[in-house]
Amino acid sequence: MLVISCPYCGDRPEIEFSYGGEAHVVRAPASVTDEEWTAFLYQRSNARGSYAERWRHAHGCGRFFNARRNTVTDFFEQTYKIGEAPA
Ligand SMILES: [Zn+2]
């Protein structure tokens, strides 16, 4: 079983978590064009290798946090609180 380390609760099984998409996506301002707004909504980097993601400890503390996960090996390299910078 895959174990994910919640920065608030510690190590927990993956079934307690839900995926929240790419982390550190900055909201587009209201003045952008339709094409730029579409890109903000739907286009993500989907990188191979180390990737910053948002996760939620849905069946635990309920908090969101960020994680850096290797998409090739599925290894969680780091988890950190929202607002913190990755190491
Ligand atoms: Zn938690």
Side-chain angles (χ1 to χ4, degrees), residues 19-31:
Y19 177 74
E22 183 174 1
H24 310 297
V25 176
V26 178
R27 182 182 172 88
S31 59

Side-chain angles (χ1 to χ4, degrees), residues 18-81:
S18 59
Y19 177 74
E22 183 174 1
H24 310 297
V25 176
V26 178
R27 182 182 172 88
S31 59
V32 298
T33 65
D34 288 346
E35 290 78 20
E36 291 169 328
W37 183 251
T38 301
F40 161 71
L41 289 178
Y42 299 109
Q43 293 180 358
R44 297 294 179 258
S45 62
N46 198 25
R48 178 180 169 88
S50 186
Y51 190 61
E53 302 171 325
R54 180 179 303 163
W55 285 80
R56 181 171 179 248
H57 194 184
H59 299 287
C61 64
R63 291 176 165 175
F64 283 92
F65 61 94
N66 293 324
R68 184 157 288 282
R69 182 178 64 92
N70 189 310
T71 58
V72 176
T73 63
D74 208 22
F75 175 72
F76 279 77
E77 300 165 345
Q78 178 189 15
T79 59
Y80 50 100
K81 297 175 182 176

